[in-house]
Amino acid sequence: MRISKQAVASLVVALSVGSAAAAVIAADAFHDRHMAMEAVGDAMKPLAAIAKKQAPFDAAVVKTNATTIADNLKKASTLFPAGSGGGDSLAKPEVWSDPAGFEKRMKDAHAAAVALQAVSDEAAYGPALGALGGNCKGCHDKYRLPKK
Amino acid sequence: MRRRTLAAIAFVLAVAAVAFWGLTRPDPLPAAAIPTHEADVRNGETLYHAGSCVACHKAPEGAPGADRGLPAGGTPFPTPIGVFYPQNLTPDAATGIGRWSEVDFVNAMRLGISPWGTHYFPAFPYASYRSMTMADLLDLRAWLMSLPAVKSPQREAEVPMVALARRGVGLWKRVAFRQPTFSPEPGRTPSWTRGAYLANAPGHCVECHTPKDWLMVADESRHMAGGPHPGGEGKVPSLRGLLTRKKYKDVDDLVLALQNGETFGYEGLSSGGMAAIQENLARLPESDVRAISEYLLSLR
C-alpha cells in the first residue's frame, strides 16, 4: 500500500493540533477551577469570621457567600478533565483514579453549601458551617496535595 | 594461591557479619529501670491526642474497633521503603499490648525495641518519643490499657529482606540517637516550654515538618523547615516564620485553626495527612493547644 506524503503530513498536523488543543483545554481547566476554588476560599472568610465571633451573625451575608460557594463548587466540579493534573495543580492522581469518590465529595460539599444558604438563625449556623467545612476538609484530605 | 584468596574473602565477610551483628544488637532497658509511679490516666489521654496515635494506629475501615475510633492498628502505612502495618494498641492479650509490661512499653516508645527483642522500623516515630518523660510514658500506657480490647492480629511489614533490614535498623539508631533529646530552653515561659515539649516529643511534628538527611535522620539544622512529603504527597509546608509569612495573624488565630481546621476556613490544615492530626489536636485542653501555638509561632 502506498501512503502519500500529503496523507502523512495531514495526519501529523491533525495529531499535533489535537494534542495542542487537549493541552490548552487542560491548562484552561486548571486555571478556571483554580479561580473557582479561590472564590470559594474568599467567600469562606466572612463566614468564618462569624463563627469566630469576629463579626455578627447576618443571614444576608451568609446567604450571599454560601451562594458564591455553591455556584463555584458546581463550576469547579466540571473542570477536572483527564490530563489536567500535575504541574502547579495540587490535585492528586486520586481525582482521576477514583472519579466516583471525588464526584461524591464535590456533590456533598455543594449540597452543604446550598443548605447553608437557607440558614436564618444563629443556632443552626455553627452546625451548617461545620458540615460544609467538614466536606471541604474530607475532600482536601484525600484529593489535594499540601499547599507549599 | 586461589584457595588463599577465597579464605581471605571468607574471613573478611565473617568479620563483617560479626561486626554487623554486634553493632545492631538491641539493648533494652531492664525492668528495674522503671520507677514506682501512680499513673494519671487523664494525662495519658492528653498525650494520646497530642501524639495523634490513632491517626496511624486506626483500624482499617470496616474492621473491629474502626467505628469506635479505637487504635486497633492494621491500616497500611505506605513509605518509600515499603508498607507497614501499625501495631494494635488496645489491651487485647493475644494481639494488642495487653501482656506488655511497663518496661516493654517504655522500650518500644523510647528505644524502638519490641517486647520480643527486635528493632521497630522508624516509621514508628520513637526518635521523637524518646524525648518523652518516664512519667508521661507510663501515663500513656495506663490510658491505652483503659481502652476496650480489640482483636486485631499484627502483620509483618512488606519491606525487602525484612528480617535483615529490621536488624539493620540498629545501625540507623546509632546515628539517629546521637541527637540530643528534648530539653527546655532557659528564659522561656512555662507555656512555651510545654508547647515545645508537646510538639517535639509526643507530637512528633519533626517527623514530617523537618527534612531528613541522606541517612533518613531529621536534619535539625533545618528544624521544622518543611520538605518532601514522606508519603510522596508533594511538599510538607515549613512551620518557620508563620507570622512573617502571614499564614496566621497571632496565637489566637493559630489556636482557632488547630481547634477547628477547615470548619473555620483554615484550608491549609486538611491535606497531606494533617486533617487527622488537627482533629486529634482539637481534643487537647485549650491551654495545651495554646502552648503548641505559642511555640510554633516563635519559630523564625
Side-chain angles (χ1 to χ4, degrees):
Chain A
M1 195 177 90
R2 273 190 66 219
I3 304 170
S4 75
K5 271 184 196 162
Q6 270 163 332
V8 172
S10 47
L11 187 68
V12 167
V13 169
L15 283 176
S16 47
V17 167
S19 58
V24 167
I25 289 167
D28 277 356
F30 166 55
H31 175 262
D32 292 352
R33 75 178 178 237
H34 180 71
M35 297 319 281
M37 288 310 220
E38 287 287 308
V40 170
D42 288 344
M44 263 315 263
K45 281 177 190 148
L47 296 176
I50 297 172
K52 294 179 201 168
K53 312 241 180 271
Q54 292 164 353
F57 176 80
D58 181 338
V61 172
V62 172
K63 185 163 187 195
T64 310
N65 288 290
T67 306
T68 305
I69 291 174
D71 292 351
N72 280 287
L73 284 178
K74 194 166 200 174
K75 193 171 159 195
S77 64
T78 64
L79 293 170
F80 286 86
S84 65
D88 285 337
S89 171
L90 295 177
K92 281 169 70 174
E94 281 83 344
V95 169
W96 296 280
S97 65
D98 174 26
F102 178 66
E103 226 161 84
K104 184 176 183 317
R105 284 286 185 187
M106 278 298 226
K107 260 194 190 139
D108 290 351
H110 178 260
V114 170
L116 187 62
Q117 286 172 17
V119 168
S120 56
D121 70 297
E122 205 168 350
Y125 180 67
L129 183 69
L132 173 61
N135 274 300
C136 301
K137 173 191 197 155
C139 193
H140 287 156
D141 184 16
K142 208 164 167 193
Y143 300 101
R144 190 188 71 174
L145 295 171
K147 287 190 155 184
K148 281 150 209 168
Chain B
M1 194 62 200
R2 193 193 246 163
R3 196 178 283 174
R4 262 204 199 161
T5 316
L6 282 177
I9 291 171
F11 179 73
V12 168
L13 285 177
V15 168
V18 168
F20 176 79
W21 200 248
L23 286 170
T24 58
R25 193 172 58 86
D27 187 15
L29 294 169
I34 307 298
T36 318
H37 175 72
E38 193 160 328
D40 176 349
V41 179
R42 282 279 84 81
N43 182 44
E45 184 184 6
T46 296
L47 294 159
Y48 174 77
H49 296 318
S52 295
C53 304
V54 74
C56 289
H57 289 268
K58 64 178 185 270
E61 241 169 87
D67 51 337
R68 286 173 292 161
L70 292 169
T75 298
F77 185 85
T79 74
I81 69 156
V83 180
F84 297 94
Y85 297 92
Q87 163 79 36
N88 177 0
L89 299 182
T90 72
D92 182 56
T95 65
I97 62 166
R99 286 208 198 108
W100 291 26
S101 65
E102 287 182 333
V103 75
D104 285 342
F105 187 76
V106 170
N107 276 319
M109 293 290 288
R110 268 217 180 146
L111 300 173
I113 299 172
S114 70
W116 38 96
T118 56
H119 294 301
Y120 284 116
F121 287 99
F124 168 43
Y126 49 80
S128 294
Y129 300 155
R130 78 196 174 100
S131 284
M132 289 176 71
T133 66
M134 183 65 83
D136 278 355
L137 289 173
L138 296 176
D139 290 349
L140 176 57
R141 175 178 175 275
W143 161 256
L144 293 173
M145 288 296 187
S146 78
L147 297 174
V150 178
K151 206 171 184 58
S152 169
Q154 184 64 32
R155 263 179 84 175
E156 177 58 295
E158 286 157 15
V159 169
M161 297 196 293
V162 67
L164 186 66
R166 193 175 277 293
R167 182 80 189 193
V169 168
L171 288 178
W172 179 84
K173 285 183 185 174
R174 284 184 174 272
V175 181
F177 285 8
R178 262 195 248 153
Q179 278 185 357
T181 52
F182 173 79
S183 59
E185 272 180 32
R188 295 290 191 174
T189 64
S191 178
W192 186 95
T193 303
R194 169 78 177 160
Y197 172 75
L198 287 175
N200 286 290
H204 66 281
C205 304
V206 298
E207 299 287 339
C208 291
H209 286 280
T210 298
K212 301 246 190 328
D213 65 16
W214 63 282
L215 286 170
M216 296 300 286
V217 175
D219 176 2
E220 282 300 323
S221 69
R222 291 183 287 161
H223 185 69
M224 304 282 201
H229 189 283
E233 294 191 21
K235 286 195 135 187
V236 179
S238 169
L239 300 184
R240 286 184 175 186
L242 290 173
L243 286 175
T244 49
R245 290 187 292 130
K246 297 192 165 46
K247 299 288 178 188
Y248 297 95
K249 277 203 295 267
D250 50 24
V251 171
D252 288 338
D253 194 27
L254 184 52
V255 168
L256 284 174
L258 292 174
Q259 286 180 326
N260 303 285
E262 195 136 8
T263 302
F264 277 18
Y266 294 101
E267 46 106 22
L269 284 165
S270 297
S271 303
M274 196 60 203
I277 310 289
Q278 181 265 314
E279 278 168 28
N280 280 281
L281 294 179
R283 298 189 184 116
L284 290 176
E286 177 156 345
S287 59
D288 282 342
V289 180
R290 186 162 292 277
I292 292 171
S293 303
E294 273 175 41
Y295 165 69
L296 291 178
L297 294 188
S298 76
L299 298 172
R300 306 269 164 224

